[in-house]
């Protein structure tokens, strides 16, 4: 079992608390509260939930990014001063194509990830199916930032072989962590995701994260680590994904399994 390279301890699995606040003061207050919550190892800042994205009514291209960049810069500077120097932060721009709020062209997405990497966060999420993802992974690694390659499907669970092959390619492209999160249609889909975790953790050299979303997939958030998944998301406040649980709920299960 391989632990996350950006988690502060070797605890397995790491518990990641998402931050989905639209304005900087609320974001910082939420981050400080989450950082003080027992059992939380990493914060995930969902940049795509900033008001600048929520106000956009069309797909943003590179020439329209200035208001977003300004909001990000303000948030990063405040966040760094108040939070991230004492707690690891995974920075994520989740696009609408993968269930988030950021509606961006490939070029705009790449430019924004590059802008975020320039601030040297501990880790950055890179949507692997995006055009240019391999170059973004290299850009992050060259800057000393852990690259978490991710894939999300909010409609279905692709075949296990397809998911495993995708994670192999993420590793081949240089990712430090390979993550998949998919939506099950039945219990068999949930078992398929756990089987992918078990296979990937034994075959790949990088840590893996596998999540089956929604009510059907809740079990993977609680017992995924038993099959090799290196992290689980748990909320301090608002949930950021279907089927997500709170930190106390997750910790209770991990303690029962002997993982907390």
């Amino acid at each position: 079992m391989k632990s996350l390279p950006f988690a502060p301890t070797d605890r397995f699995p790491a518990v990641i608390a998402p931050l989905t606040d639209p304005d900087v003061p609320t974001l910082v207050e939420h981050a400080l509260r989450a950082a003080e919550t027992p059992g939380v190892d990493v914060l995930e800042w969902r940049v795509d939930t900033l008001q600048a994205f929520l106000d956009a009514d069309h797909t943003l291209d590179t020439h329209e990014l200035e208001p977003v960049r300004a909001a990000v810069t303000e948030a990063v500077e405040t966040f760094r001063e108040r939070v991230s120097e004492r707690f690891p932060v995974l920075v994520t721009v989740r696009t609408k194509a993968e269930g988030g709020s950021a509606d961006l062209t490939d070029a705009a997405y790449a430019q924004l990830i590059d802008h975020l990497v320039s601030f040297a966060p501990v880790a950055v999420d890179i949507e692997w199916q995006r055009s240019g993802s391999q170059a973004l992974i290299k850009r992050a690694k060259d800057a000393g930032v852990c690259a978490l390659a991710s894939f999300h499907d909010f409609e279905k669970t692709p075949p296990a072989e397809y998911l495993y092959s995708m994670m192999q390619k993420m590793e081949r492209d240089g990712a430090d962590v390979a993550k998949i999160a998919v939506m099950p249609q039945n219990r068999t889909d949930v078992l398929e995701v756990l089987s992918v975790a078990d296979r990937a953790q034994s075959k790949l050299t990088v840590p893996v994260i596998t999540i089956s979303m929604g009510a059907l997939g809740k079990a993977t958030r609680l017992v995924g680590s038993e099959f090799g998944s290196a992290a689980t998301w748990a909320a301090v406040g608002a949930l950021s994904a279907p089927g997500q649980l709170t930190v106390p709920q997750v910790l209770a299960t991990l303690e029962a399994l002997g993982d907390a």
Side-chain angles (χ1 to χ4, degrees), residues 18-24 26-28 30-31 45-46 49-51:
L19 307 172
T20 57
D21 308 279
D23 61 87
V24 176
T26 309
L27 171 70
V28 171
H30 187 184
W45 176 29
R46 283 284 301 274
T49 61
L50 284 175
Q51 195 64 47

Side-chain angles (χ1 to χ4, degrees), residues 8 10 20 52 76 99 105 108 115 127 150-151 153 155 158 160 171 187 189 213 216 231 238-239 247 249 257:
D10 288 334
T20 57
V76 166
T105 65
H115 182 61
E127 294 181 350
S150 68
F151 166 78
D153 190 327
E155 295 182 358
E171 178 185 43
R187 287 187 293 273
D189 284 346
M213 295 185 286
L216 266 177
L239 308 183
V247 171
Q249 288 173 319
L257 293 170

Side-chain angles (χ1 to χ4, degrees), residues 123-142:
V124 64
D125 178 294
I126 296 170
E127 294 181 350
W128 182 76
Q129 286 203 313
R130 279 265 168 182
S131 175
S133 63
Q134 187 172 3
L136 290 175
I137 290 171
K138 183 178 186 304
R139 166 77 174 94
K141 291 171 71 71
D142 287 348

